[in-house]
Amino acid sequence: MAAPYRLAVVMDPISDIKYAKDTTLAMLLAAQARGYQLTYLELHDLSLRDGVALGRGRALTVHADPNHWYDLGEPVVEPLGGFDVVLMRKDPPFDTEFIYSTYILERAEDAGALVVNRPRGLRDMNEKVYTAWFPDLCAPTLITRNMDDMAAFAAEHGRVVAKPLHGMGGRSIFVVDPTDKNMRVVFETLTAYGSQYAIVQRYLPEITETGDSRVLVIDGEAAPYALARMPSASDHRGNLAAGGTGVGRPLNERDREIVARIGPVLRDAGMLFVGLDVIGGFVTEINVTSPTGVRELDKKFGTDIAGLLIDAITKRLAARS
C-alpha cells in the first residue's frame, strides 16, 4: 500500500485478554505485520458530537509475547471517520449500550471509515434470532415470551435447549425435558416471568459425539478448518468459556453447504468476520459481534486466519481507492 492504513479497534480491556486464545489480538498482530497503524479504544472512548463520531484513542503496538503483548500511547481525541478501518470487537452482552455504540460507529461509517463488522448488521443480526432467516438449515426453534408455548414445544420435541437472546460463552444455557420438574423454573428465569423473549431449540444429541463446531466465515468464504468444541463429561455445553475442549477439524460437505447459503448474505451485508455454530449439521447461532476460535485453529493447523481477514479488509480498502 502506498501509505499505511490506519486501523482503530474497539474492544474490551486489552490488559485483561487471554494472550493464547484472544482472536482480536491475532487480528491486530496480523494487521500490524501488514503495515497498519493501530489505535486502541474501549466503548467508553466513543462519543458523538454534533453528528460527528469521535474516539479518544491511544496509539497501539502489539507484540507476540505472552508476557508483554501491547504498548499504548497517550490519549488523542479525533474523528473516527478519519480511520481507514474500525474493528468493532466488543464482546456481548448485546445490550442497549452496545446498540448505542453501533449508532456512533454508523456515523463513522458515513464519514468514510470501513467498520468491521458493519454497525447496521450488528444491530439487525442478533446471534440467536438471525437463524430464523435460514430455517431449513436450523433445528426446530421457538422464540417467545410465553412459557406455556415453551412447555408445549418441549413436549413436542422432548429434550430442548433454552437460552437467553443476549448472552455469550455458554452463559445461562439450559438443557431440559418435559419430565424435568425444574423446566418451568427455567422458563420463568429466562423470560423473567413472561416479560422478555427467550429461545428454545430441539436438543441435538450429536454435540456429545462431534461437538459444537465453530465455522468461521471471512468476507463470505469459509476458513479451511472448523473448531469442534467438545463438552466436558460434567457439562452439556461445548463453549470453551464453559469448560469445553476445542478440537480442530477440516470442513465437511455440510459445512460448505451452509456457508454457500449464508456466506454471500453476510458478505453483502458487510459482515466480514462471522462465526457459525453448527451441531449435527444444523446452525444454532450466527455470531456477528466478536467471534473467536482463530488462535486455536492457527496453533493446530499453522494457518493465519486473522491474516485472511486483514487481507480481505485491505482488498476492500484498495477497491475504494
Side-chain angles (χ1 to χ4, degrees), residues 7 20-21 24 27 32 42 69 86 120 124 142 146 178 204 206 226 288 306 317:
L7 182 151
K21 294 185 177 182
T24 303
M27 294 176 178
Q32 183 173 272
E42 296 177 29
W69 59 84
V86 178
R120 181 166 298 183
D124 289 351
L142 172 69
N146 190 297
L204 298 168
E206 293 89 344
V288 300
L317 294 175

Side-chain angles (χ1 to χ4, degrees), residues 14 20 24 56 58 133 149 158 175 208 211 218 227 232 274 289 291 318:
I14 194 169
T24 303
R56 180 175 283 104
R58 287 174 279 178
W133 272 248
D149 290 348
V175 175
T208 61
I218 301 164
L227 185 68
S232 68
V274 177
T289 49

Side-chain angles (χ1 to χ4, degrees), residues 1-7 34-37 84 314 317-318 321:
M1 44 196 172
Y5 288 128
R6 301 184 66 218
L7 182 151
R34 287 157 174 77
Y36 280 72
Q37 294 179 350
D84 296 291
T314 304
L317 294 175
S321 299

Side-chain angles (χ1 to χ4, degrees), residues 257-320:
E257 176 186 344
I258 288 169
V259 174
R261 283 278 309 283
I262 301 178
V265 179
L266 297 172
R267 179 190 61 227
D268 293 346
M271 313 307 282
L272 271 65
F273 190 75
V274 177
L276 307 179
D277 290 349
V278 181
I279 303 174
F282 293 102
V283 178
T284 61
E285 294 187 14
I286 300 175
N287 296 276
V288 300
T289 49
S290 57
T292 60
V294 163
R295 301 280 271 187
E296 293 87 348
L297 290 174
D298 284 350
K299 182 177 180 180
K300 179 171 181 59
F301 297 108
T303 50
D304 181 16
I305 295 173
L308 296 177
L309 171 64
I310 301 303
D311 290 344
I313 288 172
T314 304
K315 184 177 179 180
R316 289 209 174 200
L317 294 175
R320 286 182 168 193

Side-chain angles (χ1 to χ4, degrees), residues 228-256:
R229 298 161 299 173
M230 308 299 298
S232 68
S234 60
D235 206 321
H236 61 265
R237 299 168 296 175
N239 308 76
L240 302 184
T245 302
V247 179
R249 64 166 179 81
L251 296 188
N252 57 41
E253 196 58 38
R254 178 59 171 172
D255 298 329
R256 295 187 180 91

